[in-house]
Amino acid sequence: MTSMYTINYALRAHKRDPFIEFIKGMLMTPFVLHAKPIPPKDDPSEKEHNGDDKSQMDENVARYCDILSSIEELIEEHIRKQNKGVPDQSRLKRLVPSISTFHTRLPLRESFLLANSKHSIAARRFVPPSFNDIRRILTTAQIIAIAPKLKLITFDGDMTLYDDGEDFEQDSKSVNLLVQLLKYDLNVCVVTAAGYPGDAKRYEERLSGLLKGFQTAQLSKKFCERFFVLGGECNYLFQCQENYHLKYIPESEYQPEEILSWRDDQIKAILDVAQENLQRCVDDMKLPCTVLRKSRAIGIVPKPGVKIFREQLDECVLSTQHRLVNYLNSPSGKQHKLPFCAFNGGRDVWVDIGNKLIGVQILQKYLGATPEETLHVGDQEMTLRLGANVVHYGLSTPKKLKAC
Ligand code: IMP
Ligand code: MG
């Protein structure tokens, strides 16, 4: 295929969730065929054909429910195939080739009925079930399914708990919700790409509103210690103390052997290649940006007061991702292979060593939770679904590009 196609595809694919699009397509049929506009009052003959309003609405609910029950069955079959080690043979995989792992079944019908009782989706005759409706239905279904066994809940930071680049505000509604989760004896962890190596103070600043909220709620030691921050995707772990400050946990205490064995020369080689490519992007597109290098990350950050267009940020991500994949598969580069991720953070672009899937898996091991007992809230990263249940429930819709 031509590069134009590849670029268009790559840029579009991240904005669409193929599973949501599939469900949307399925629900479109009853909407088109049956959710008819209300006939004019002065035309009784049309009323005869359409039946009364209430019965038509009940029929619409029943039709949407039927479809969602069938999708539940597809998911259940996919889980059975997953458990037998042949997920590629499920019907759902054939219908939605990009479908990932399911760690729980999803009660979509029950979730739709809840959503419908609040938002009257089936009463709509001109606007079919939308991307956002389905995203909410999936989120609620996932939460219903996992609630009885939930042990670990992880949250993305920017654009989920707080605005992009901003700090957690104390009057944020999320403060009380997170306090409640901790009081339910759950482990709660913010898993953020933001990497401030070993710097508890910087994370305390970003989470200042939340930590003050813990203090105001007089959260006891037991509950404070259930709150963690994992920064740099999977690289720096902190635990909240009873004095409402974060304590850095040395890597040797929680990092698995595979990660402790990441060598400095591998990290340096990956960051060097990424830096060279990012610098070339900055020069070629004349971006008013600074290239910022950290011990496990490299990024480009706009100069104060400047906004870089999404297309330019995406160009930086895709070209750097492409360059790194080529390098790490080349004879000279394969000895440096490590997991990395490149993403458009909305205002900036970053390449980090490691990724959030590894981060969540590290936490699972450290805190004794399985993927079935874990929920990650807010990230658009598809790869995370391999290791945890994921719901999008942030300030953002999944519109940024992330490539791991
Ligand atoms: P997250 O959404 O909580 O994962 O945070 C991502 C944002 O953190 C990025 O968009 C950046 O603005 C910011 N950030 C700060 N330092 C780093 C870093 O070292 N790597 C990646 N992102 C960083
Ligand atoms: Mg985010």
Side-chain angles (χ1 to χ4, degrees):
M1 266 303 178
T2 65
S3 59
M4 260 327 277
Y5 177 85
T6 315
I7 289 168
N8 286 339
Y9 175 79
L11 287 178
R12 293 181 75 78
H14 72 280
K15 294 205 292 183
R16 295 237 168 108
D17 179 326
F19 187 44
I20 294 184
E21 296 298 329
F22 168 74
I23 300 176
K24 209 168 123 182
M26 293 288 114
L27 296 178
M28 191 59 107
T29 306
F31 176 81
V32 170
L33 296 180
H34 303 287
K36 296 174 192 154
I38 300 165
K41 281 209 171 77
D42 51 5
D43 187 354
S45 67
E46 279 300 312
K47 190 147 190 160
E48 261 168 43
H49 290 299
N50 286 349
D52 70 64
D53 238 27
K54 163 102 177 60
S55 70
Q56 205 198 87
M57 208 154 80
D58 291 346
E59 282 169 24
N60 289 346
V61 172
R63 287 190 188 101
Y64 289 148
C65 281
D66 263 5
I67 288 174
L68 292 168
S69 297
S70 303
I71 298 173
E72 282 183 32
E73 282 170 26
L74 285 173
I75 295 172
E76 278 158 29
E77 191 233 9
H78 185 76
I79 292 176
R80 287 198 298 278
K81 291 276 168 30
Q82 245 172 230
N83 294 343
K84 287 186 193 156
V86 285
D88 288 357
Q89 291 174 14
S90 78
R91 286 191 66 217
L92 190 55
K93 184 78 186 174
R94 282 203 301 278
L95 295 164
V96 187
S98 64
I99 204 77
S100 188
T101 309
F102 288 90
H103 303 282
T104 64
R105 46 174 287 276
L106 291 183
L108 297 176
R109 181 179 185 280
E110 181 184 348
S111 169
F112 167 76
L113 288 171
L114 276 172
N116 194 52
S117 67
K118 280 194 201 149
H119 308 297
S120 305
I121 298 170
R124 299 201 313 241
R125 290 149 200 272
F126 288 86
V127 179
S130 66
F131 182 94
N132 284 339
D133 291 324
I134 295 162
R135 196 162 68 125
R136 268 196 295 267
I137 292 167
L138 281 169
T139 298
T140 309
Q142 184 59 80
I143 287 168
I144 295 172
I146 199 169
K149 46 191 160 194
L150 187 60
K151 274 194 184 164
L152 168 64
I153 181 160
T154 60
F155 290 89
D156 172 54
D158 291 55
M159 294 300 278
T160 298
L161 290 177
Y162 33 84
D163 277 335
D164 212 5
E166 303 298 321
D167 297 342
F168 203 125
E169 289 175 22
Q170 201 185 344
D171 57 4
S172 149
K173 270 196 230 152
S174 317
V175 174
N176 285 335
L177 294 173
L178 288 173
V179 166
Q180 277 176 34
L181 289 175
L182 290 165
K183 287 188 173 170
Y184 276 123
D185 262 350
L186 298 172
N187 290 300
V188 177
C189 185
V190 178
V191 180
T192 173
Y196 315 115
D199 186 355
K201 282 266 161 306
R202 187 69 190 98
Y203 288 103
E204 285 178 6
E205 272 167 31
R206 299 285 322 264
L207 295 169
S208 53
L210 181 63
L211 296 172
K212 279 196 197 115
F214 287 174
Q215 190 164 13
T216 309
Q218 288 292 296
L219 212 57
S220 69
K221 176 175 172 8
K222 172 179 151 195
F223 296 126
C224 284
E225 289 180 350
R226 289 187 181 281
F227 180 77
F228 296 84
V229 180
L230 183 55
E233 314 273 352
C234 55
N235 287 302
Y236 318 106
L237 183 63
F238 301 83
Q239 184 176 26
C240 186
Q241 306 296 290
E242 62 180 320
N243 60 3
Y244 312 107
H245 284 279
L246 296 175
K247 185 178 116 187
Y248 177 65
I249 305 184
E251 285 175 26
S252 56
E253 278 184 33
Y254 69 93
Q255 292 277 25
E257 204 41 55
E258 314 91 87
I259 298 187
L260 289 173
S261 67
W262 290 353
R263 298 188 316 268
D264 288 346
D265 66 298
Q266 292 177 295
I267 296 171
K268 178 176 180 312
I270 294 174
L271 296 182
D272 283 350
V273 171
Q275 179 163 2
E276 180 204 291
N277 199 77
L278 288 172
Q279 188 61 59
R280 191 184 50 74
C281 291
V282 168
D283 296 342
D284 287 356
M285 290 188 278
K286 302 184 183 59
L287 302 177
C289 286
T290 311
V291 177
L292 209 68
R293 180 139 174 180
K294 302 184 181 178
S295 52
R296 294 201 167 183
I298 174 103
I300 53 172
V301 181
K303 299 214 159 118
V306 174
K307 167 145 178 47
I308 308 292
F309 286 113
R310 182 178 62 77
E311 290 80 355
Q312 293 176 314
L313 296 173
D314 283 349
E315 171 69 21
C316 296
V317 174
L318 288 172
S319 73
T320 310
Q321 162 87 5
H322 179 75
R323 174 83 182 84
L324 279 171
V325 168
N326 279 348
Y327 170 70
L328 294 172
N329 286 319
S330 71
S332 59
K334 48 177 197 273
Q335 54 179 322
H336 295 133
K337 209 167 197 166
L338 287 182
F340 72 90
C341 73
F343 69 96
N344 164 358
R347 296 182 195 180
D348 45 18
V349 168
W350 287 91
V351 176
D352 294 324
I353 303 292
N355 59 51
K356 287 190 187 177
L357 171 61
I358 297 176
V360 169
Q361 286 171 334
I362 288 173
L363 290 166
Q364 287 170 337
K365 224 168 175 182
Y366 187 57
L367 300 168
T370 62
E372 295 76 35
E373 295 163 337
T374 308
L375 181 68
H376 178 77
V377 181
D379 217 284
Q380 69 262 22
E381 237 179 300
M382 294 293 280
T383 50
L384 247 168
R385 292 185 191 278
L386 294 171
N389 302 286
V390 177
V391 291
H392 300 297
Y393 193 76
L395 307 167
S396 63
T397 51
K399 61 182 174 226
K400 295 184 204 160
L401 175 66
K402 189 142 193 167
C404 290

